[in-house]
Structures are given as structure tokens and as C-alpha cells.
Amino acid sequence: MDRWQNRVAVISGASSGIGAACARILVAAGLQVVGLARRADRLEKLRQSLPAEQRTRFHQQTCDVSQESQANNAFEWIEKELGGIDVLVNNAGIVLGGQLIDMPTKDISNILQTNLMGSIYCTKLATGSMIRRQVPGHLIFVNSTAGVAGYKPDPAEESLNAYTPSKFGLTAVHEICRQELIQKGSKIKTTSINPGWVATEIVPDETKAKLGEVILQADDVAQAVLYALSTPAHTQVEQITLRAVGEYF
Ligand code: NDP
């Protein structure tokens, strides 16, 4: 991780779950981390919980990534205060209940606008910073097993309505970015991480109860992010699929 010391990593959705675990692990690994989320109090709580000697490497920006103007403002602040972006962990995501065929259209839009467009806004801004400064940065997408070919929802579960298309869209965004960056002659790396069930706030308690111990922890995903980042500059970890042992779907 030597080449990432004091480099700037932006993590969307850092106020809980996987994003918060990524923030902890990257701050501890020596990066400057900027956590983006809507809940300022939760970002502050995370900062306070870090060991004192690491706390100064955590920065927070209240930002709703589904709003392009808010993403623009947050990245402008990062550029000005920290000099640019070297790593982006596109992690912010939501799930809303209901079925695609009859749930309110505004809920469908909200899911797509957060999970897909929010990631696109952040990707454009981070890539722009990396290319302008000619740094071989790293784009990481926290996707899902719901976003890759072969996804078979458990018929007993409520289907993941617009969440699944948002994550399939993210798979395509990742691949398009990979190809466009090669065409530009860039050394920026891209990685998609596809977890199965993870014990975070996004998963309803009934689902957690049903899964029992067959569930990943947020730290498991953060370790995968750290692994992808820690590979040599010429090596690209393109995809990591992580499931708890015993997870069927
Ligand atoms: P959490 O609910 O714990 O975390 C979601 C994070 O996203 C929160 O920090 C939340 O912060 C943030 N967020 C949501 N909407 C926005 C927004 N509009 N702008 C900025 N931040 C936002 O769940 P997870 O940690 O599990 O989710 C993280 C990612 O992992 C998601 O993309 C999810 O799809 C993916 N994933 C999760 C799995 C699981 O089983 N848990 C499985 C596979 C993938 P705030 O509310 O403060 O804005």
C-alpha cells in the first residue's frame, strides 16, 4: 500500500455499513479518506470513533449523490482542500420495497438516481481529477450479486425491483469505464466488487434472521476493497464476487 500513502480516497455512502468499514480500513492503511453521505451526524460519529492518530485523515462532506449539483460541490471541495482524487469507492446505495410492476415511479427513480446516476456523477468527477493530474488512480464499484449474469432471486424473497436493474447498469458502467480508460491510454484501474448478503442496515431484520450465520460482514467487503487496491500498479483485479459460505442465491 506504499504508493497510496496520503493519497485521497473518496467513499460514497460512508455513514454506515460497507462504506463505513471501507473508511476505517483505508484510513488505517494510511490514505486520506473523504466520506460522502446525507447523514452528517453519522459521518461525525464515524470520525470520532477512529483512533486519535488516524482521525485527521478522515474528512466528511454531506452530500446526496443522487443530486449532481451536490456531487459537484463535494468534489470541488475535495479538489480545493485536498488537491484531487486518487481512489473512488462508489458505494452509496438504497433499496426500497415493492415490486417493479406496481411500485411508485418516484421510488423507482430514486433507486436508479442513487445507485446508478449517483455512481456515474462521482465516476465522472473522480476520473476527471485523475486524468487532469495524470495519476494512475483506482475506481471501485460496490456492486452486488444482483448485478451480474446468473442472478436468480429466491422466489421466497421480495424481488429486488429496480435495485437489480440499477446494479446490472453498474456492471455495464464499470465495463464501459474500463474500455474508455484504455482507449485514453490511462493507467487508472477499475474493480467491481459483487457481494451477496451483508449484515448492514440495508438488509431487513427478517432477512437477517432467516440467513442466520450465512451472511457476510461489512469488513469482509472492505477487505476485498483493500486487496484490489493493494495489487501492483500493472495488475487489475476486475471483479470479486463474495458470498458467505452456504449462501445459495
Ligand atoms: P447501508 O444502508 O448500511 O449503507 C448505505 C450507504 O449509502 C449509507 O451510508 C447511506 O448514507 C448511503 N446513501 C444512500 N443514499 C445516498 C445518497 N443519495 N447520497 C449519498 N449517500 C447515500 O447498506 P450497505 O453498506 O449494505 O450498502 C452499501 C452498498 O453495498 C450499496 O450500494 C448496496 O447496494 C451494496 N450491497 C449491499 C449488500 C448487502 O447485503 N448489504 C449486498 C450487495 C451489495 P446516508 O443515508 O447517510 O446518505
Side-chain angles (χ1 to χ4, degrees), residues 35 37 65 77 110-111 148 157 164-165 167 182 192 201 205 228-229 245:
V65 294
W77 180 89
N110 196 0
I111 293 168
V148 290
E157 287 289 335
T164 302
K167 293 297 189 179
I182 293 170
S192 181
E201 293 170 24
D205 287 343
L229 269 179
V245 173

Side-chain angles (χ1 to χ4, degrees), residues 13-19 37-39 63-66 91-94 114 142-144 163 167 195-198 200-203:
S15 60
S16 65
I18 295 167
R38 295 164 302 176
R39 290 172 296 175
C63 172
D64 178 343
V65 294
S66 70
N91 165 79
I94 55 167
T114 304
V142 179
N143 200 319
S144 169
Y163 179 86
K167 293 297 189 179
W197 292 110
V198 188
T200 66
E201 293 170 24
I202 214 172
V203 179

Side-chain angles (χ1 to χ4, degrees), residues 153-172:
D154 181 347
E157 287 289 335
E158 191 173 84
S159 74
L160 287 171
N161 53 55
Y163 179 86
T164 302
S166 77
K167 293 297 189 179
F168 265 83
L170 212 52
T171 298

Side-chain angles (χ1 to χ4, degrees), residues 37-38 62-75 125:
R38 295 164 302 176
T62 310
C63 172
D64 178 343
V65 294
S66 70
Q67 306 297 317
E68 189 173 16
S69 58
Q70 293 195 28
N72 287 342
N73 290 343
F75 279 77
L125 291 160

